[in-house]
Each structure stands twice: as C-alpha cells, then as structure tokens.
Amino acid sequence: MIANLAQLAAEETEQNPLVPAGPELLVGTIAFAIVFFFFWKKLLPNINKVLEERRAAIEGGIEEADAMKVEAQSVLEQYKAQLAEARHEAARLRQEAQEQGAALIAEMRAEGQRQREEIVAAGHTQIEADRKAAASALRQDVGKLATELAGKLVGESLEDHARQSRVIDRFLDELEEKAEATR
C-alpha cells in the first residue's frame, strides 16, 4: 500500500495539476469561446439596453426633479410676493382706517364744539332776552310802586301814564347812573 501511494505520488508529480492536459485545454477553450460569443451577441446587448434604460430613467427623474424644484421655487417666490403685497395692502388699509378715524374724530369734535357754541350763544341770547324782560317787568313794577308811593306822599293821584312813564324812566336812569358810577 505504501508502494501504491508512492507510485501515485510519483505520477502526480509528473503531471502538474494546474496545467490541464492538451485535449481538455482544447475543449475548454472552444466551450469558453461559445459561451463568450453567446454572451457578447445576446446577453451583452440586452444588459446594455437595460442599463441604458435605467440610466435614462434616472437622468429623466433627475431632470424632472430639477424642473419641479425650479417650479416650486417659482411658486414660492410668487407666494412670497403675494404675501408681501397682501401685507402692504393690509398696512395701507390700516393706515387709511386710522386716518379716517382721526378725521372722523376731528370732525365730531368740531361738530361738538360748534353745537356747544350754538348752545352757549342761544343761552346768552335767552339770558339777555330774559334779563331785558325782567328789567322791563321790574321797571313797570318799580314804576307802579313808585307812583303809588309818590301819590301817597304827595296826596295826589299820579295816574297819568305819560307823566308816570317819564318820572319812572328818569328815576331808573338816575339809579342806573349811580350804579354804574359805583362800579
């Protein structure tokens, strides 16, 4: 058995296991050429076609994404512009409302001032009319009392209206002059 092993080892040393025998090498080369030709003619074009389609789809997706990004940026800019315009319009409307409010307040104050002045003027006119009416009534009452008193002092009746009016007017004028002189 040892002899057989030695003989097998000797045979193996004569033949290199990495280098195949001549006929095997020839059959292996022909088989490789057939498989290579099949891959080159049938599979390689299909693989290249699929890879090209994937590359086109990826590039198309990237281009579409870029286009959508540009469109989104454009929409964002439009939105920002509209928002800024809306804010400007709101500020303008707020300013107009404040101005109108201030004008309305000023107008109402002026109207109130005018009405107050009218009421005060009407009050002064009424007071002056009342004062004149009171002075006239007082003058008549004082005149009557003075005439009656004078008539009792003199012992005559002073019923003559013309004379009575002159006496009363003179008496009251003298009183008014004395009152003005004391002021």
Side-chain angles (χ1 to χ4, degrees):
M1 191 138 144
I2 295 185
N4 280 342
L5 286 174
Q7 187 180 4
L8 280 174
E11 283 180 13
E12 285 183 21
T13 54
E14 287 177 14
Q15 236 183 17
N16 189 355
L18 295 177
V19 177
E24 281 184 23
L25 186 61
L26 182 63
V27 171
T29 305
I30 291 172
F32 177 76
I34 290 172
V35 170
F36 180 76
F37 181 76
F38 175 73
F39 277 140
W40 183 58
K41 283 292 187 180
K42 296 288 181 188
L43 253 51
L44 192 61
N46 286 340
I47 291 172
N48 283 339
K49 180 181 172 188
V50 169
L51 289 176
E52 184 63 29
E53 287 174 358
R54 289 183 78 195
R55 185 188 61 77
I58 290 170
E59 287 178 358
I62 290 172
E63 289 174 0
E64 186 177 326
D66 287 342
M68 291 178 91
K69 182 179 176 182
V70 168
E71 183 180 347
Q73 188 67 26
S74 171
V75 168
L76 179 64
E77 292 299 323
Q78 288 176 352
Y79 170 74
K80 285 181 180 179
Q82 288 175 349
L83 184 60
E85 184 179 329
R87 285 181 179 158
H88 177 70
E89 181 68 16
R92 185 186 64 77
L93 290 174
R94 187 173 36 249
Q95 181 66 27
E96 281 182 13
Q98 287 175 347
E99 290 173 0
Q100 288 176 351
L104 185 60
I105 288 171
E107 183 179 319
M108 295 305 273
R109 281 185 181 158
E111 178 66 20
Q113 182 71 21
R114 185 189 61 77
Q115 287 178 354
R116 184 182 65 87
E117 289 173 0
E118 285 179 1
I119 290 170
V120 168
H124 285 306
T125 304
Q126 184 64 35
I127 289 171
E128 184 63 28
D130 289 347
R131 187 187 67 77
K132 285 182 181 178
S136 174
L138 183 63
R139 188 171 263 206
Q140 288 175 358
D141 289 344
V142 167
K144 273 186 186 177
L145 290 174
T147 305
E148 287 177 11
L149 183 61
K152 288 181 182 178
L153 288 175
V154 173
E156 285 181 35
S157 174
L158 300 174
E159 292 294 324
D160 182 18
H161 287 295
R163 190 182 337 169
Q164 181 181 3
S165 292
R166 283 193 308 267
V167 171
I168 293 171
D169 286 340
R170 196 171 1 135
F171 176 71
L172 291 177
D173 288 339
E174 288 175 8
L175 282 178
E176 285 179 5
E177 286 176 9
K178 287 180 183 179
E180 287 179 9
T182 58
R183 285 187 192 172

